[in-house]
Amino acid sequence: MSLKDINTVELEINKELKSRLSSKNMPLYDMMSYHLGIGEDQEGIVPERQIGNILQMSVQAFGGDTDSTILVAAALELINGFCEIHDDVQSGRPVRNGKDAVWWVWGPAQAINAGDGMHSLARLVASRIGEYGFSQDESFGVVRKLDDATLLTCEGRYRDLEMQDQLLVSRDSYVRTAQEKVGAFFGAAFSIAAFLAGMDKRIVTRLSETGSKLGEAFQIGRDIKELWEH
């Protein structure tokens, strides 16, 4: 089995996302496609599928087949999109990836609806990995890990909003928020890849912790960049 480069992996994730959303004939799904940068006749920047890429490249590193985990990669990107839409509404950010944010085009209420729909769709997509030969326990395990990561990132976003009303924030509080807010999905990508590869539970846990630290570093770097830009 030949290894795929990251560009090929990303194209496959986009193809899967398009397939899942284009099969739904309703404007709600057009909103989701718009946010993900894969809508029909849509021009502009297609976001990097960072979380999905991490999962798929990890699957390859662990000797797995990325064709069998494409649904999980798509699910991770849908959940990340759900979080991004809600972040834009909460912060009043009018632009995302070089274009008007979903809430700016369709209004906050419909944006929240689209985000929640992406979350539900992600769970449905991930639950179908049995079609690729995974067991019922493995399917349940993946959905549970996605739910755990989503809940953790919501906790991180709660802390983030809470800190905005504080004059002083401790280093530990900031680091914990960064770790939960972004590290949750990085950790999920690594741990799910290891879990589906049949690795020992201790290794799965260690990889989850590694991903969490990587996400923490990513968020810190992004915050520093935003500070310098302002």
Side-chain angles (χ1 to χ4, degrees):
M1 181 178 62
S2 59
L3 295 178
K4 301 173 183 177
D5 61 35
I6 196 165
N7 291 325
T8 300
V9 166
E10 194 159 89
L11 286 172
E12 290 177 346
I13 294 173
N14 284 332
K15 182 179 178 181
E16 183 62 35
L17 288 169
K18 286 182 181 180
S19 173
R20 296 293 163 179
L21 294 174
S22 63
S23 64
K24 307 286 188 178
N25 186 23
M26 187 178 182
L28 174 66
Y29 300 96
D30 295 337
M31 293 165 62
M32 298 179 193
S33 295
Y34 172 85
H35 176 79
L36 293 168
I38 55 175
E40 291 187 12
D41 302 323
Q42 189 170 334
E43 296 180 359
I45 301 171
V46 178
E48 179 185 354
R49 306 302 177 201
Q50 189 174 58
I51 309 300
N53 287 344
I54 289 174
L55 171 79
Q56 294 294 71
M57 300 308 285
S58 298
V59 167
Q60 286 195 143
F62 302 151
D65 177 16
T66 56
D67 290 342
S68 67
T69 55
I70 188 65
L71 292 180
V72 187
L76 278 166
E77 288 299 328
L78 286 167
I79 294 178
N80 186 58
F82 145 73
C83 290
E84 289 178 341
I85 288 176
H86 281 252
D87 283 348
D88 291 343
V89 173
Q90 290 171 349
S91 64
R93 185 187 296 115
V95 176
R96 165 77 64 173
N97 295 318
K99 64 185 180 185
D100 291 339
V102 172
W103 77 270
W104 190 254
V105 179
W106 285 278
Q110 287 289 26
I112 291 171
N113 195 33
D116 291 346
M118 290 174 81
H119 178 227
S120 297
L121 182 60
R123 298 184 83 254
L124 290 171
V125 168
S127 69
R128 297 181 63 178
I129 65 170
E131 297 173 7
Y132 289 86
F134 292 107
S135 68
Q136 186 174 6
D137 286 344
E138 288 171 324
S139 298
F140 175 76
V142 166
V143 174
R144 179 169 182 174
K145 287 181 182 298
L146 289 176
D147 285 345
D148 286 342
T150 303
L151 182 59
L152 188 59
T153 197
C154 286
E155 291 175 4
R157 281 165 166 77
Y158 171 84
R159 297 182 200 282
D160 190 26
L161 291 170
E162 193 176 45
M163 286 193 304
Q164 292 176 21
D165 297 325
Q166 299 175 3
L167 293 176
L168 295 174
V169 176
S170 69
R171 185 190 67 175
D172 289 345
S173 294
Y174 167 73
V175 169
R176 182 178 181 182
T177 299
Q179 197 174 96
E180 291 176 344
K181 186 177 177 181
V182 179
F185 288 148
F186 281 65
F190 279 121
S191 65
I192 289 173
F195 171 71
L196 293 179
M199 291 187 172
D200 185 272
K201 288 184 179 180
R202 289 174 298 176
I203 296 177
V204 173
T205 299
R206 288 291 181 87
L207 284 168
S208 177
E209 293 168 352
T210 299
S212 180
K213 291 294 185 181
L214 181 63
E216 172 193 318
F218 175 82
Q219 181 62 39
I220 292 172
R222 186 161 60 184
D223 288 344
I224 291 173
K225 182 180 179 181
E226 289 184 2
L227 282 172
W228 279 111
E229 288 177 350
H230 290 82

